[in-house]
Amino acid sequence: MPATESSPPLIEKHTIGYIPPQERHGKVRDLFTLWFGGNIAPLPIVTGALGVQLFHLNLLWGVVAILVGQLIGGVLMALHSAQGPQMGIPQMIQSRAQFGSWGSLLVVVIAGVMYLGFFTSNIVLAGKSLHGVTDSVSVPVGIVIGAVGSCAIGIIGYRFIHLLNRIGTWVLGIGILLGFGYIFSHLHSADFFTRGGFNLYGWLATVSLGALWQIAFAPYVSDYSRYLPADVSVAATFWTTYLGSALGSSLSFIFGAVAVLATPAGMETMDAVKLATGSIGPLMLVLFLLSVISHNALNLYGAVISVITLVQTFSWRWIPTGRSRAVLSVLVLLACCIAAIYSSADFIGHFVDLVLALLVVLVPWTAINLIDFYAIHKGQYDIDSIFRADGGIYGYYNPQALLAYAIGIVVQIPFMNTPLYVGPISSHIHGADLSWLVGLLATSPLYYWLATRTGSQNVRAGRTGEA
């Protein structure tokens, strides 16, 4: 049945269920604006500045490292996005087809923790941005305002999120270009072009930051393409997502690096942005504040979808509704506000450390999911089985996927650099973390060999039903 464009409801009624063809809507170009506008924000600006702040690269090598990392990581992120129209279900639910109904739970929990961390980090940045705009609003009050705004957008859901980012792409895109222009015409440092230099470990570390930024979107990127008509091609979904995300995040990362280099050494990134942008600084802070509130709705939405996925695994007869999603959104909002208010001073630093640790266990999942979708099943799955309590033809566990997943984690250990552990090879290259690259290169062929060697039923299964 062809998709219809008859006005979908403003407040999204679906949660984790299959989106039937008659309820598909939207244009593939919306993916460009979603991921471009969503990446013009303070958190990627702060992350991008680390290349020159922490790893002491100069402007040229910092920009090159950022672009290389974003362009590589964006490929993986966009390949996940292209699964959405083909499957019509959220990414974490789809993982049951690779790992089994219970075997996928670890990854669902990890993704949920990341969403919660991103949401909390962003409301901290929203609170600080609002306080920077007007001293009459304290950081805790700003945190609550930012959180409530994101919660309202998240409850309304998919359609409203896309609408806001269509607007945000133009407003934030023009804003950040104006910011670049002002900074280059009002430099506050004499060593803008000469500060820092090239060092291999710093360059590799900055590449990794860019790639991992993109990979961190992988567990939920297809959630925002699953409503598109099923006849939208993989190539169209891939390129609109890839160009939007890689371009938007690259601009933000480079903006952070430029602002830090344009101001005296030692300043915090957002303070540097405020100083470097001078008279348009308050306007930039307002734009970033609005961006944080809008984009952070994605993190809240993803966290709630993860919670629903966990509960539905054990209560498979439960049919979650839009009301369920709204109630859970408010509960998550309250918990994150408390965490943000009482740890706002150092939360972001701790969260970046946590993300680096969690990505060690997310990277093998990315490899398995992509190999299974594109090389083994070629996009054809039994949707009914994915929603069954026993996993249907996919079972409770998939031994091949779990074995490849475990090995994919182990092989990364010597290359890791996390707050919990620094591997010997990472130490030898002065702390550069290449675990993500090793994990991808090792897990992908291993899983393909294990899955195709067994000739198991779930490899041969096609799309035989709908939820």
Side-chain angles (χ1 to χ4, degrees), residues 168-342:
T169 289
W170 289 100
V171 176
L172 293 166
I174 293 171
I176 202 166
L177 291 178
L178 289 175
F180 272 115
Y182 190 96
I183 291 174
F184 279 109
S185 60
H186 298 79
L187 295 179
H188 292 267
S189 63
D191 59 351
F192 178 77
F193 292 104
T194 58
R195 189 188 308 172
F198 175 81
N199 60 85
L200 182 61
Y201 77 90
W203 191 83
L204 291 174
T206 305
V207 169
S208 293
L209 281 176
L212 291 172
W213 178 265
Q214 294 288 339
I215 293 172
F217 290 122
Y220 72 5
V221 60
S222 71
D223 296 2
Y224 299 96
S225 59
R226 76 188 195 276
Y227 277 87
L228 290 174
D231 59 0
V232 171
S233 70
V234 167
T237 311
F238 173 88
W239 283 111
T240 49
T241 302
Y242 181 73
L243 293 173
S245 187
L247 179 58
S249 53
S250 293
L251 281 174
S252 289
F253 269 56
I254 293 170
F255 188 79
V258 166
V260 166
L261 289 173
T263 52
M267 294 188 68
E268 290 190 3
T269 304
M270 294 312 293
D271 291 335
V273 168
K274 187 175 182 180
L275 174 61
T277 52
S279 60
I280 66 170
L283 172 63
M284 298 296 295
L285 288 176
V286 170
L287 292 179
F288 290 147
L289 172 63
L290 296 175
S291 173
V292 167
I293 293 173
S294 174
H295 182 69
N296 211 21
L298 276 69
N299 296 311
L300 180 63
Y301 184 95
V304 171
I305 291 294
S306 294
V307 172
I308 291 174
T309 301
L310 286 170
V311 175
Q312 199 271 342
T313 300
F314 300 102
S315 302
W316 65 279
R317 294 184 185 278
W318 175 48
I319 307 298
T321 63
R323 179 177 295 180
S324 306
R325 188 168 53 79
V327 171
L328 286 170
S329 295
V330 173
L331 294 176
V332 170
L333 164 76
L334 293 173
C336 289
C337 278
I338 293 171
I341 290 170
Y342 285 99

Side-chain angles (χ1 to χ4, degrees), residues 376-453:
I376 297 175
H377 280 91
K378 297 179 172 60
Q380 298 300 310
Y381 293 92
D382 182 350
I383 302 297
D384 280 339
S385 287
I386 288 176
F387 284 92
R388 286 178 55 179
D390 61 359
I393 62 173
Y394 305 115
Y396 289 108
Y397 303 97
N398 178 3
Q400 292 79 33
L402 293 173
L403 177 59
Y405 181 70
I407 293 174
I409 293 174
V410 170
V411 298
Q412 294 181 74
I413 292 175
F415 302 88
M416 289 168 51
N417 184 357
T418 73
L420 300 177
Y421 176 77
V422 179
I425 296 179
S426 179
S427 295
H428 185 68
I429 54 177
H430 303 282
D433 187 337
L434 298 179
S435 58
W436 62 277
L437 183 59
V438 174
L440 286 171
L441 294 177
T443 308
S444 300
L446 175 62
Y447 175 68
Y448 182 82
W449 178 73
L450 288 171
T452 56
R453 181 181 66 89

Side-chain angles (χ1 to χ4, degrees), residues 28-267:
V28 71
R29 63 174 179 266
D30 292 342
L31 297 177
F32 177 90
T33 54
L34 175 69
W35 296 108
F36 180 88
N39 275 296
I40 307 294
L43 196 55
I45 289 172
V46 170
T47 306
L50 294 177
V52 297
Q53 278 181 326
L54 186 61
F55 302 119
H56 308 296
L57 296 176
N58 61 19
L59 179 63
L60 172 63
W61 287 111
V63 169
V64 171
I66 287 169
L67 292 175
V68 169
Q70 298 287 347
L71 293 175
I72 293 173
V75 171
L76 304 172
M77 182 263 199
L79 285 172
H80 283 291
S81 177
Q83 297 173 357
Q86 314 303 313
M87 296 288 290
I89 57 177
Q91 187 73 70
M92 288 293 98
I93 283 285
Q94 191 237 341
S95 292
R96 293 175 178 177
Q98 292 94 47
F99 292 88
S101 60
W102 290 4
S104 64
L105 291 181
L106 174 62
V107 180
V108 175
V109 171
I110 291 168
V113 170
M114 285 189 62
Y115 300 147
L116 292 173
F118 274 120
F119 181 78
T120 308
S121 293
N122 276 307
I123 60 176
V124 170
L125 285 172
K128 291 181 176 179
S129 296
L130 191 53
H131 179 66
V133 173
T134 171
D135 291 336
S136 62
V137 177
S138 66
V139 172
V141 171
I143 286 173
V144 173
I145 292 173
V148 170
S150 297
C151 185
I153 296 168
I155 288 173
I156 295 173
Y158 180 97
R159 189 183 176 200
F160 193 46
I161 290 170
H162 274 288
L163 172 63
L164 289 178
N165 280 282
R166 284 198 295 271
I167 298 170
T169 289
W170 289 100
V171 176
L172 293 166
I174 293 171
I176 202 166
L177 291 178
L178 289 175
F180 272 115
Y182 190 96
I183 291 174
F184 279 109
S185 60
H186 298 79
L187 295 179
H188 292 267
S189 63
D191 59 351
F192 178 77
F193 292 104
T194 58
R195 189 188 308 172
F198 175 81
N199 60 85
L200 182 61
Y201 77 90
W203 191 83
L204 291 174
T206 305
V207 169
S208 293
L209 281 176
L212 291 172
W213 178 265
Q214 294 288 339
I215 293 172
F217 290 122
Y220 72 5
V221 60
S222 71
D223 296 2
Y224 299 96
S225 59
R226 76 188 195 276
Y227 277 87
L228 290 174
D231 59 0
V232 171
S233 70
V234 167
T237 311
F238 173 88
W239 283 111
T240 49
T241 302
Y242 181 73
L243 293 173
S245 187
L247 179 58
S249 53
S250 293
L251 281 174
S252 289
F253 269 56
I254 293 170
F255 188 79
V258 166
V260 166
L261 289 173
T263 52
M267 294 188 68

